[in-house]
């Protein structure tokens, strides 16, 4: 009897996941594309240009506020990959949803390992049916592609910090996730700067361990992760140095404003309200 119940529950979970994935894909596919959001068109065309011309996509999204572009080819290849597999207009949407769904399934697996007492269907619905995720991240736009990198990065953080670690993953894999996620997000969105303090704290705990083998091994894992995603950034730096074709410095992609320290409480309140 228990075996029958477990089979039914497994089938129920699989059907739930399949149904949600189909719903998310159809929602993103039927979203307004051409007229409402110029950013969507731009990201789509970056991949289309790379595919149709065979050119290397040295830069990603435009940054209006700094009059620059995000360096690196990751964005262009993530969009154009779909056309290498299937030459239809919806191909980038299909690839985006596959990448997103796989990363979300990984997140569901990780949460279920940390919180085994929580019903699986609650975890699945909480991860896949968050309104912001459905309404925004099912479209071909650069923040949508950030999510997989962010998931692996913060799972790595949870498995590194001693007060958060649950032992689900090895520390070496966790440090690999940090490097992989950092340069994944670096080529897609300006929010990569927010990851740096987390990395510094992670290495603080690593150095404080006073275990040379652990320090060397985890540092190498971090560098391998950086190299895998960062390799798509190197051609841009080799071709243009620290400037894009318009002469704008790559360093200007993110600018710091010291005067914002004077309104730190207001910014914190806005951040918490947004969350």
């Amino acid at each position: 009897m228990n075996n029958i119940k477990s089979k039914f529950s497994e089938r129920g979970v699989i059907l739930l996941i399949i149904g949600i994935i189909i719903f998310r894909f159809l929602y993103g596919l039927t979203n307004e594309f051409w007229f409402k959001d110029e950013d969507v068109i731009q990201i789509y065309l970056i991949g289309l240009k790379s595919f149709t011309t065979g050119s290397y996509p040295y830069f990603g999204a435009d940054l209006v506020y700094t009059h620059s572009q995000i360096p690196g080819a990751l964005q262009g290849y993530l969009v154009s990959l779909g056309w290498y597999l299937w030459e239809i207009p919806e191909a980038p949407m299909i690839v985006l949803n596959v990448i997103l769904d796989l990363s979300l399934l990984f997140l569901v697996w990780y949460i279920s390992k940390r919180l085994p007492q929580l019903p699986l269907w609650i975890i699945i619905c909480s991860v896949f049916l968050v309104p912001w995720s459905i309404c925004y991240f099912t479209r071909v736009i650069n923040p949508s592609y950030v999510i997989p990198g962010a998931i692996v990065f913060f799972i790595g953080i949870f498995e590194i910090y001693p007060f958060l670690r649950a032992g689900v993953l090895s520390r070496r894999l966790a440090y690999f996730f940090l490097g992989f996620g950092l340069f994944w997000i670096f080529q897609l969105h300006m929010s990569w700067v927010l990851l740096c303090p987390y990395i510094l704290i992670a290495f603080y705990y690593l150095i404080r361990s006073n275990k040379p083998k652990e320090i060397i091994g985890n540092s190498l894992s971090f560098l391998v992760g950086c190299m895998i995603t960062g390799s798509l950034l190197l051609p841009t730096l080799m071709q243009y140095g620290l400037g894009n074709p318009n002469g704008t410095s790559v360093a200007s992609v993110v600018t710091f404003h010291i005067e914002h320290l004077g309104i730190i409480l207001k910014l914190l309140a806005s951040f918490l309200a947004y969350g």
Side-chain angles (χ1 to χ4, degrees):
M1 193 64 159
N2 289 332
N3 289 335
I4 294 173
K5 284 184 178 180
S6 64
K7 284 182 180 179
F8 273 111
S9 62
E10 288 175 5
R11 289 178 183 176
V13 167
I14 293 171
L15 289 173
L16 176 64
I17 292 173
I18 292 173
I20 292 174
I21 287 174
I22 293 173
F23 167 72
R24 286 172 58 91
F25 174 71
L26 292 177
Y27 185 91
L29 196 62
T30 54
N31 257 347
E32 188 66 68
F33 185 83
W34 295 108
F35 303 107
K36 296 267 181 146
D37 197 334
E38 294 179 357
D39 290 337
V40 174
I41 301 172
Q42 182 209 7
I43 298 302
Y44 188 90
L45 292 179
I46 288 172
L48 183 61
K49 177 184 177 181
S50 173
F51 174 73
T52 55
T53 64
S55 59
Y56 189 82
Y58 289 102
F59 292 91
D62 289 338
L63 299 174
V64 177
Y65 302 106
T66 58
H67 305 289
S68 59
Q69 293 173 275
I70 297 177
L74 182 61
Q75 181 67 85
Y77 281 138
L78 285 173
V79 177
S80 64
L81 175 62
W83 286 305
Y84 287 103
L85 302 174
W86 194 6
E87 294 184 14
I88 60 172
E90 298 82 5
M93 178 70 71
I94 296 172
V95 170
L96 168 63
N97 277 271
V98 169
I99 295 173
L100 273 176
D101 293 335
L102 288 175
S103 63
L104 292 175
L105 284 172
F106 179 51
L107 180 59
V108 166
W109 172 82
Y110 180 73
I111 294 174
S112 69
K113 291 295 183 181
R114 288 190 68 104
L115 302 171
Q117 72 278 11
L118 203 61
L120 190 57
W121 69 269
I122 292 180
I123 301 174
I124 293 169
C125 292
S126 299
V127 169
F128 278 91
L129 294 179
V130 177
W132 179 254
S133 173
I134 296 174
C135 295
Y136 195 76
F137 295 134
T138 52
R139 303 181 302 157
V140 177
I141 190 169
N142 53 320
S144 299
Y145 294 95
V146 168
I147 302 303
I151 287 174
V152 298
F153 181 90
F154 282 103
I155 286 178
I157 289 295
F158 269 77
E159 288 299 312
I160 289 173
Y161 291 4
F163 54 91
L164 295 175
R165 179 171 169 78
V168 177
L169 302 174
S170 69
R171 283 191 173 86
R172 291 201 177 184
L173 183 58
Y175 276 93
F176 170 82
F177 281 171
L178 294 196
F180 185 91
L182 173 64
F183 280 96
W184 177 284
I185 297 173
F186 184 96
Q187 299 174 72
L188 301 174
H189 199 264
M190 293 180 292
S191 56
W192 66 268
V193 295
L194 302 176
L195 307 181
C196 297
Y198 291 98
I199 295 173
L200 290 175
I201 295 172
F203 276 92
Y204 163 76
Y205 283 119
L206 179 61
I207 294 171
R208 200 179 71 167
S209 67
N210 291 322
K211 297 178 180 178
K213 287 185 178 180
E214 286 285 318
I215 294 172
I216 294 172
N218 291 332
S219 298
L220 287 175
S221 295
F222 174 77
L223 291 175
V224 170
C226 291
M227 290 170 62
I228 290 175
T229 47
S231 61
L232 295 174
L233 176 65
L234 289 178
T236 302
L237 297 179
M238 292 172 64
Q239 179 73 17
Y240 298 103
L242 293 177
N244 67 14
N246 298 321
T248 305
S249 171
V250 170
S252 71
V253 168
V254 177
T255 57
F256 293 92
H257 300 273
I258 301 300
E259 63 271 19
H260 286 173
L261 291 174
I263 56 170
I264 188 66
L265 293 179
K266 178 184 176 182
L267 293 173
L268 180 61
S270 299
F271 174 79
L272 293 175
Y274 179 77

